[in-house]
Amino acid sequence: MTVAPPTAPAARAVSGTELARRAYRKRQGTKSVVISVISTLVLAALVWVTLINTPGWDAVRQMFFNGEIMLASLPRIWQGFLLNLQVLAISAVLVLIFGMLLATLRTLRGPVWLPLRALAAGYTDLFRGLPLIIVLYLVGFGIPGLDLIPVRLPYAFWGTVALTLTYSAYVSEVFRAGIDAVHPSQRQAARSLGLSHAKTMRLVVVPQAIRKVTPALMNDFVALQKDVGLISVLGAVDAVRAAQIETAKYFNFTPYVVAGILFVLLAIPTIRLTDWYTARVRAREQIGGIV
C-alpha cells in the first residue's frame, strides 16, 4: 500500500482590497519623499541666497571659509584629531566602567552600605555640578602640582582623567535610572530561584537596565565626542589646539572651521544610530497598541 505524499498548504491569496491599500501607501510614501526633497532644496536655496547677499559675506568667506587655508591646515589638524579619537576611546570605556560601579553602589540596600551610598551620591553631585572646564583645570594643573608621581604625564592623560570623572557621574545616573526601572518582580523571581544579590544584578537586572537606557547612553557618548576638544585648554595639541596654532600662522579663522567639520563628521553617525535605535525601541514597546 503506497502512501500519498503530503500536499503543501495552498498559498494565501492577497485580496484586491489589500493590494489597493499597499499601492496607495506606496504612492503616499513616494509623494512624501518628493515633497520633502523639494522643500529641503527650496529652504537651502533661500538660506544660501540670503547669506551670499549680506554686506559682509565676502569678508566672512575669506576669514572662515578660505579653501587654500583649509587644505593647508588640514594635515596638522588631522594629526591633532587622532589624539582626540584616542582620548575618546579610552574615556568611553572608563566612563562605562566607573558609571556602572557608581550606579551599583547607589542601588545597594541596607544600612551597612550607607557610607558607600553617601560617597557615591556625593561624587555624582559634585561632578554633575562642576563645569567640565573647571574639572580640567583642577585635574590637569592641580594634581600634577602635588608631585605624587615622579614622572611628568602628558596633558592628554589628565584630560582623559577629567573627562572620565565628569561623565562617569552623568552615566551613573543613567544606569541607576535603568536599574530602578526594572520591575521589582524580576528581582523577587530571581531571588526565589536561589540567585544571590550579585547574580540577580548581573544576570537579571543589569541586562534589562542597559537595554532600557541605551539611547540615553548614546546621547551621552555624542556629548563626550564633542567635549574631548576641551582638552586643548590643558595644552594638549589636539584638533582644536592645532587649529589655534594654524589660525595664528595664517591670521585666518578657517582652521577652526576645519576642526569643527571633523567633529561634526565624527558625531553624525552616532547621532543617526541613536535616532534609529530610539525609534526601534519605541516601535517594539508599542507593538499591539496605538499611542
Side-chain angles (χ1 to χ4, degrees):
M1 180 178 178
T2 59
V3 179
T7 58
R12 296 179 58 184
V14 180
S15 67
T17 303
E18 177 60 23
L19 290 175
R21 289 174 178 169
R22 293 179 183 179
Y24 175 77
R25 287 196 290 266
K26 186 177 181 180
R27 287 196 302 272
Q28 290 299 109
T30 305
K31 183 180 177 181
S32 298
V33 171
V34 171
I35 293 174
S36 300
V37 171
I38 293 175
S39 61
T40 303
L41 292 176
V42 169
L43 178 62
L46 289 175
V47 172
W48 177 251
V49 170
T50 304
L51 186 63
I52 64 175
N53 286 319
T54 53
W57 167 243
D58 289 336
V60 170
R61 181 166 58 89
Q62 184 63 28
M63 289 298 295
F64 288 90
F65 303 100
N66 189 306
E68 294 179 359
I69 295 177
M70 195 173 287
L71 292 176
S73 61
L74 180 59
R76 187 164 191 171
I77 296 174
W78 175 254
Q79 289 298 321
F81 188 65
L82 294 179
L83 177 62
N84 288 122
L85 293 180
Q86 294 174 11
V87 172
L88 173 64
I90 298 173
S91 299
V93 174
L94 293 178
V95 164
L96 288 176
I97 294 173
F98 284 113
M100 178 57 74
L101 177 62
L102 288 169
T104 304
L105 292 178
R106 291 205 67 181
T107 55
L108 290 175
R109 300 290 184 265
V112 69
W113 302 112
L114 176 62
L116 291 179
R117 288 200 305 269
L119 183 63
Y123 177 92
T124 55
D125 291 347
L126 175 64
F127 284 101
R128 283 195 301 164
L130 275 175
L132 175 57
I133 194 166
I134 294 179
V135 178
L136 282 165
Y137 283 130
L138 291 175
V139 173
F141 299 130
I143 296 180
L146 298 175
D147 291 331
L148 294 174
I149 304 173
V151 297
R152 185 179 181 86
L153 296 173
Y155 287 120
F157 171 81
W158 297 115
T160 305
V161 173
L163 289 168
T164 302
L165 290 174
T166 299
Y167 272 87
S168 59
Y170 289 103
V171 169
S172 70
E173 289 302 288
V174 175
F175 277 134
R176 189 167 70 96
I179 291 173
D180 290 340
V182 177
H183 198 275
S185 62
Q186 299 287 319
R187 299 170 187 262
Q188 295 166 2
R191 298 304 299 268
S192 66
L193 292 174
L195 296 180
S196 63
H197 175 75
K199 284 189 175 181
T200 299
M201 291 293 292
R202 180 167 58 88
L203 300 176
V204 178
V205 177
V206 172
Q208 296 184 64
I210 292 176
R211 190 165 58 248
K212 289 177 180 294
V213 300
T214 297
L217 290 175
M218 295 172 75
N219 280 324
D220 283 339
F221 182 66
V222 172
L224 180 61
Q225 287 180 345
K226 177 189 62 179
D227 285 345
V228 291
L230 291 176
I231 64 172
S232 61
V233 301
L234 300 179
V237 186
D238 70 330
V240 178
R241 181 66 173 168
Q244 186 181 17
I245 295 171
E246 294 296 300
T247 296
K249 177 181 178 182
Y250 293 106
F251 300 101
N252 192 286
F253 293 108
T254 301
Y256 282 126
V257 176
V258 175
I261 292 173
L262 290 178
F263 278 104
V264 171
L265 293 178
L266 174 65
I268 284 177
T270 309
I271 293 172
R272 293 283 75 82
L273 180 63
T274 303
D275 293 342
W276 170 80
Y277 187 78
T278 302
R280 184 171 177 267
V281 170
R282 183 171 59 248
R284 184 174 56 195
E285 291 178 349
Q286 292 180 357
I287 289 177
I290 299 175
V291 178

